[in-house]
Amino acid sequence: MRPPPPAAPATPSWRGGVCVFAPLAVAALALAGCAHHDYARYEPRPIDPAKTAAAFETHRLDDPGLRKFLRENFRADFPLTGTPEGGWDFEALCWVAFYFNPTLDVARAQWESARAAQTTAGERPNPTLTLTPGFSANPNGASPWLPAIGADFTIETAGKRDLRAEAARLTAESARQEVFAAAWRVRSELRSALLDIVLATRRHAALDAVLQPQQNILALLEQRRAAGAGTAAESAATRLAILKAEIAAADAARQIPLARQRVASALGMPAIVLSGIDMPVPRNAIEALRWAVPLFDGVGEGLPDRYRVDEARRQSLHSRADVLAALARYAAAESALAVEIAKQHPDIHLGPGYQWDQGQNKWTLGVTLELPILNHNEGAIAEATARRREAAAQFNLVQAQVLAEIDGAVAAITAAGEQAVGVRRAEAELASQRALVESRLKAGGASQLDLQAARLEIITNNQVGGEAAAQIALAAGQLEDALQIPLAHLEVLAPPERAAPAKPVSKKSP
C-alpha cells in the first residue's frame, strides 16, 4: 500500500499571508484617508486684467460697500447715500482711501499670509506608514510570502514646535503693524495731495492779485514815457515782471488738476469721479496734537513747546506702527534663532513594525536618532544669529529715522513760524508806508506810481506770508506723520488675533 499523502502544513499558505497583509494595508489606508472630507480642493482663480481694470472704474464715493464700511468702522451716523453734512472732510476721505487704495489690500494680504504661516508652524509632523511585502525563494514547504508593515512617529524635542509657533506669531504681528504703517502712508499721501490743491489755488490767486498793480504801474510808466519823463528800460523791466507773474500763475493753475489726480490716486479711484466735488482743506495737524504742540492761532502765533514735543517723541517710539513692526521682526528673529539652537537636540523617531513570517507574528519597535557627529547645526545657527543682528540694525535704523522725522518737522514748523512773524512785522511796516504815500498823494507830494508801488509791495509781502503759512501746514502734516498719534478706529483694519469680531468690512474676494 502506498503511504497516505503527507498532511497539509499547519502554517497558512501564501494566501494566508496575503489574508493577514491585506487587512493591515486596508486599515492603514483607511487611517490615512479618514480625514478626506477635510482636504482642501484647488480652485483656480485666474486674473483677468480687463475685468480688474473695469472694477477699478466702479470705485465711487456712493459705493454701497464703501458707505457700509464707513458707517460700521468710521462713524455710526455716516449717511448711506448722498453727500455727508458739511461735505467730505479729510478724515472721511482717509477712510475712503483705506477702503479703496490697493496699498492697503497688499498689506492686508501679506498679513493674511503671515497668519496662515502660523498654522503651518504649529502643525505636528504626520506619521509615516511603510508596507514591505517580502518573498522567500526557499520556503521549505511554508508560505513564501513575508508581508510586513511599519510606521514612523516623530517626537520633536527641546520645544521646537512651540518656538516655531512663537516665531510665526511674531512675524504675523509684524505684518499686522505694517498694515497700520501702510494706512499712515496713504493718509500722508492724501493730505499732501489735498494741500497741494489748496496751495496751488491760493498761489494762483495771489499771483493774479500781483498782476493788477503791475499792469497799473506799466500803464503809468508808459504815460510818463509818452510825456518824455520816463525811459524804455523802466517799462521793459515791468513788462518782464508781468510776464514772469503770468507764467507763474499759469504754472500754479496747471498744478491744480495734477494735485486732484494725486488725490484720486491716494483714494484709489478714477480722477473723473472727483469732478465737481469740493476738496477739503486738511485740518492743521497741530489741532490733533494740542497736548504735544501748542495750537497755532493764525500764521506765526506760537512755536512748538520743546518739553511737550519730547513727550510726544517718547510716546511715538512706543506706538508708531513701523517701530512696532521692526520690534516684532527682531523678536521673530530671536525666536528663529532659538529654533535653530533647539535643533541641536535630535528628534526621536519611533518605528513600530509587524511582520508575518511563515506563520509567526513578529513585532518590532525601532528608535531612530540623528547622531550629531559631523555638525551641530552650526551653519543654520550662524545664519539665524546674523539675521538677528540684521533685525536689530533695522530696528535702530527705523528708530533713528523716526527721531529725525520728528526733529525735522519741529524745525520746519519753528522756521516757518519765525518767517511768518517777520512777514507780519513787514506787513505792519508796509501798511504804514502805504498810508503815508496816500497822505502825501492827497497833499501833492507823491504820485499814483508811488501808490501802486506801495500796493504791489503789500501784495507781494502777503504772498510771502501765504507761502510761510503753507510751509507751516506742510510741516504740521509732517509732524503728525512723524508722531503718528494713534487714530480712532484704525485697529479695525487689522484686528488682533484674539480680539472680538470687529473685523473690517472687506471688499469683494479676490
Side-chain angles (χ1 to χ4, degrees), residues 110-123 160-176 328-339 497:
Q110 291 172 341
W111 175 49
E112 289 296 332
S113 298
R115 292 177 65 187
Q118 287 183 263
T119 303
T120 304
E123 289 177 341
K160 297 186 186 71
R161 177 171 168 268
D162 292 339
L163 292 172
R164 223 173 29 242
E166 179 64 9
R169 184 191 69 79
L170 292 167
T171 301
E173 175 60 21
S174 174
R176 189 176 81 91
R329 283 195 297 271
Y330 176 77
E334 278 213 309
S335 293
L337 174 58
V339 171
E497 191 72 23

Side-chain angles (χ1 to χ4, degrees), residues 108-459:
R108 280 190 288 260
Q110 291 172 341
W111 175 49
E112 289 296 332
S113 298
R115 292 177 65 187
Q118 287 183 263
T119 303
T120 304
E123 289 177 341
R124 299 179 184 275
N126 284 321
T128 61
L129 182 68
T130 305
L131 304 178
T132 54
F135 181 82
S136 176
N138 51 351
N140 294 325
S143 171
W145 296 100
L146 308 172
I149 186 171
D152 181 85
F153 296 88
T154 301
I155 301 176
E156 292 186 290
T157 61
K160 297 186 186 71
R161 177 171 168 268
D162 292 339
L163 292 172
R164 223 173 29 242
E166 179 64 9
R169 184 191 69 79
L170 292 167
T171 301
E173 175 60 21
S174 174
R176 189 176 81 91
Q177 293 296 334
E178 287 294 345
V179 175
F180 304 138
W184 272 100
R185 287 193 294 271
V186 169
R187 179 184 174 90
S188 177
E189 292 170 6
L190 177 62
R191 185 202 304 106
S192 177
L194 289 172
L195 278 175
D196 285 346
I197 293 177
V198 175
L199 300 182
T201 303
R202 292 180 178 176
R203 189 174 294 118
H204 180 263
L207 290 168
D208 274 347
V210 168
L211 285 173
Q212 186 60 48
Q214 285 181 329
Q215 290 170 349
N216 293 340
I217 290 174
L218 178 61
L220 292 172
L221 289 175
E222 289 294 331
Q223 292 175 7
R224 289 180 59 183
R225 182 185 174 191
T231 64
E234 292 176 335
S235 299
T238 303
R239 284 194 183 93
L240 181 59
I242 292 174
L243 180 60
K244 289 181 178 179
E246 289 175 343
I247 293 174
D251 182 69
R254 184 178 61 85
Q255 295 299 323
I256 297 175
L258 295 178
R260 291 183 72 91
Q261 174 61 48
R262 290 196 294 275
V263 170
S265 177
L267 293 176
M269 57 179 55
I272 193 172
V273 173
L274 302 179
S275 299
I277 297 177
D278 293 332
M279 291 291 99
V281 178
R283 59 174 177 74
N284 195 322
I286 298 177
E287 292 179 5
L289 307 173
R290 295 188 182 187
W291 60 273
V293 182
L295 178 66
F296 280 91
D297 181 17
V299 179
E301 294 293 335
L303 295 175
D305 182 275
R306 189 75 245 175
Y307 171 75
R308 295 191 176 186
V309 170
D310 289 342
E311 188 71 22
R313 177 194 285 107
R314 282 191 290 272
Q315 178 165 340
S316 67
L317 291 177
H318 292 86
S319 62
R320 266 190 62 145
D322 50 359
V323 173
L324 295 178
L327 192 60
R329 283 195 297 271
Y330 176 77
E334 278 213 309
S335 293
L337 174 58
V339 171
E340 297 302 333
I341 291 176
K343 286 181 180 180
Q344 294 178 111
H345 304 280
D347 295 333
I348 299 173
H349 295 264
L350 297 180
Y354 167 79
Q355 184 181 38
W356 186 82
D357 185 4
Q358 298 184 355
Q360 296 181 359
N361 296 311
K362 297 182 178 180
W363 297 89
T364 59
L365 177 62
V367 179
T368 303
L369 292 173
E370 179 185 352
L371 298 179
I373 298 175
L374 301 180
N375 70 82
H376 292 82
N377 206 36
E378 295 94 344
I381 292 174
E383 290 181 27
T385 302
R387 283 192 290 269
R388 184 175 66 172
R389 284 197 298 268
E390 179 184 352
Q394 288 291 340
F395 175 78
N396 292 335
L397 174 62
V398 170
Q399 196 173 58
Q401 289 174 339
V402 169
L403 294 174
E405 288 175 15
I406 296 173
D407 290 341
V410 171
I413 290 177
T414 303
E418 291 173 347
Q419 180 186 8
V421 171
V423 169
R424 283 197 167 183
R425 291 172 181 166
E427 180 182 353
E429 179 66 24
L430 290 172
S432 64
Q433 290 183 7
R434 177 181 174 179
L436 179 61
V437 170
E438 288 176 346
S439 63
R440 289 177 58 195
L441 180 64
K442 291 178 181 179
S447 65
Q448 283 290 336
L449 186 59
D450 295 328
L451 180 61
Q452 292 298 327
R455 289 176 178 176
L456 179 58
E457 287 289 340
I458 292 175
I459 293 174

